[in-house]
Amino acid sequence: MTESTEHPLSGLWAPTHLQKLYYGPSSVEKHLLSCLPTKTSKAFIITGSSLARNTPLIKQVEDLLTKDRHAGTFSGIQQHAPIKQLDEATGVVQKDSDIDTIISIGGGSPIDSAKAISHRNHEKSGKYLYHIAIPTTLSAAECSFVAGYTKEDGVKTGVADPKLAPEVIIYDAQFGLETPQKLWLSTGLRALDHAIELLYHPTSTEVPTKPLVLTAAASLFEYLPKSKAEPKNEDYITRLQLAAFSSLFPFGTNVKGGLGLSHSLGYALGSPYSIPHGITSCLTLTHVVRLKAESADDAAQIARVLPFIGQSRSGNDRHDAMKVADAIEGLVKDLGLATTIAEYGVGDDQIPKITKMATGKEDGELYEKVAGLVKSLL
């Protein structure tokens, strides 16, 4: 593992194989066809049922592709990417050997499912699928090479390979317009979760990671409230899409291990209890930042956020990190996203299970601190 260090200033950043990033209204209509890897490419669409049933987006993409390039659509991906639907989609894709491209449309579940299908396709045929991601939320799954999905027992698992990162990302504000506001705003907190946890990750680099995630935090604090007030403002949508990109794209192939404790808690709370990952970040991030503020090194990194959200640093890193936590808590409340795990049917009898899943431990100092954190979420 190559760690980044402050003294001496040292590290390694290794980017994914992303080739193109388009953004702005009508980007899909303008650029999708030119993004296909060849003139004869056959593309398969992976998406969720609500987008296919309740919006015109999927049909628009199908029409753009025409029957010559559209190999089919699977619209059964559900929240947290259950393995049953993943198996079904994989089976459909693998029936047609002419398919060389997969287009994911939606949030983290369709995008991660598309990555997992590409991984399975490679296992069977030795060929990865060219991946074009068209996100409709701010969860930023399109920026990583990790494909998460849920096993039959409800536990989240996944695969990771640099070849699984999408080759193309298209941020189209008109696709963001169709996203329910609570989902849009809560996945914005997920993006903030990425940004904060990348700041103190031991393999996170000074450049380009930290400048990007700091500007992401600034944009999320500024434009999430504006987007709540004016949900049809396409400029706000685009700025938030770019903030989501900046929050996780710096997660290069050099970053080893999970992002951090807030994400580990999110996985422990998400699929096992059917809590959306945007909401898990609303629940956990404030508390994790307060816990991390106890570490001098982590507090020093978190404190760097303050000037980017309109506040001045005091010179006391722990104090400043706590102010960042207070600001995150305030943002969650202002967006109307404050909640408890009890509202999702999670009782205090689940604290040991959640804590063990998040920490990998059954006792000790870290276990006790995280158990106390989980209890505070009730």
Side-chain angles (χ1 to χ4, degrees), residues 46 55 89 97 102-103 121 132 144 158 179 219 225 313 321 364:
I46 299 293
T55 78
S97 60
I102 195 161
I103 300 175
N121 200 68
I132 300 172
S144 89
T179 305
S219 291
R313 295 183 67 169

Side-chain angles (χ1 to χ4, degrees), residues 89-101:
T90 303
V92 176
V93 170
Q94 290 184 342
K95 286 179 181 178
D96 187 347
S97 60
D98 290 334
I99 295 172
D100 65 352
T101 301

Side-chain angles (χ1 to χ4, degrees), residues 18-22 35 130-134 166-170:
L18 179 69
Q19 297 174 9
K20 296 178 182 178
L21 166 67
Y22 287 106
C35 292
Y130 192 87
H131 187 177
I132 300 172
I134 305 174
E167 280 82 1
V168 178
I169 300 170
I170 306 177

Side-chain angles (χ1 to χ4, degrees), residues 179-233:
T179 305
Q181 189 178 66
K182 184 176 182 180
L183 177 59
W184 178 255
L185 297 175
S186 63
T187 54
L189 262 294
R190 187 66 171 174
L192 184 61
D193 202 344
H194 301 328
I196 298 295
E197 296 228 285
L198 268 178
L199 272 176
Y200 51 68
H201 194 285
T203 62
S204 181
T205 56
E206 186 62 30
V207 171
T209 302
K210 293 180 183 180
L212 281 172
V213 300
L214 287 167
T215 57
S219 291
L220 291 163
F221 266 90
E222 179 177 359
Y223 288 104
L224 283 170
K226 289 182 177 181
S227 186
K228 182 177 188 291
E230 296 182 52
K232 301 301 183 184
N233 187 308

Side-chain angles (χ1 to χ4, degrees), residues 17 57 63 71 74 89 101 137 212 214 223-224 253 260 348:
H17 62 198
L57 300 179
D63 290 346
F74 184 88
T101 301
T137 75
L212 281 172
L214 287 167
Y223 288 104
L224 283 170
T253 62
D348 58 5

Side-chain angles (χ1 to χ4, degrees), residues 111-178:
I111 294 170
D112 275 3
S113 294
K115 297 178 207 169
I117 292 167
S118 180
H119 172 75
R120 291 172 165 199
N121 200 68
H122 177 261
E123 286 188 322
K124 181 179 180 180
S125 67
K127 180 181 69 173
Y128 290 101
L129 297 171
Y130 192 87
H131 187 177
I132 300 172
I134 305 174
T136 61
T137 75
L138 300 172
S139 62
E142 66 277 3
C143 298
S144 89
F145 53 89
V146 178
Y149 57 91
T150 303
K151 297 187 294 184
E152 291 178 349
D153 61 3
V155 175
K156 199 72 174 279
T157 187
V159 293
D161 189 314
K163 296 288 183 66
L164 299 183
E167 280 82 1
V168 178
I169 300 170
I170 306 177
Y171 291 120
D172 190 324
Q174 292 170 349
F175 279 60
L177 281 171
E178 300 289 345

